[in-house]
Amino acid sequence: MARLDQIPEKERLNPEAVVESIAAVGRPAFYEPDAAHIIEKLVPLLKPEDVVAIFSNGGFDGIHGSFWKS
């Protein structure tokens, strides 16, 4: 997250807690530390005709293009 240091630590989003909350209601949820790990986790789960939408506020390690192979 850009300028994370400007948000007091106790007010920052805790990704692990979000994943736990989602999983607690029976939904699959994952947290991965970077783009490479996201791709590694996501690709085996994809099925034909799936659509992946990537939202980020920056380049995010090139996840929008360089990790995807045809």
Side-chain angles (χ1 to χ4, degrees), residues 5-70:
D5 60 318
Q6 294 179 358
I7 301 172
E9 191 168 340
K10 63 183 176 187
E11 294 179 23
R12 296 177 190 171
L13 177 70
N14 180 332
E16 291 90 352
V18 173
V19 167
E20 283 181 28
S21 296
I22 295 168
V25 295
R27 301 281 184 194
F30 310 96
Y31 169 74
E32 300 299 334
D34 56 42
H37 286 96
I38 292 169
I39 299 301
E40 185 178 305
K41 181 73 165 189
L42 179 64
V43 168
L45 300 174
L46 296 175
K47 298 179 293 249
E49 307 300 321
D50 279 352
V51 175
V52 176
I54 300 168
F55 299 91
S56 77
N57 63 346
F60 198 46
D61 298 333
I63 195 170
H64 301 90
S66 63
F67 285 99
W68 301 98
K69 297 178 182 168
S70 341

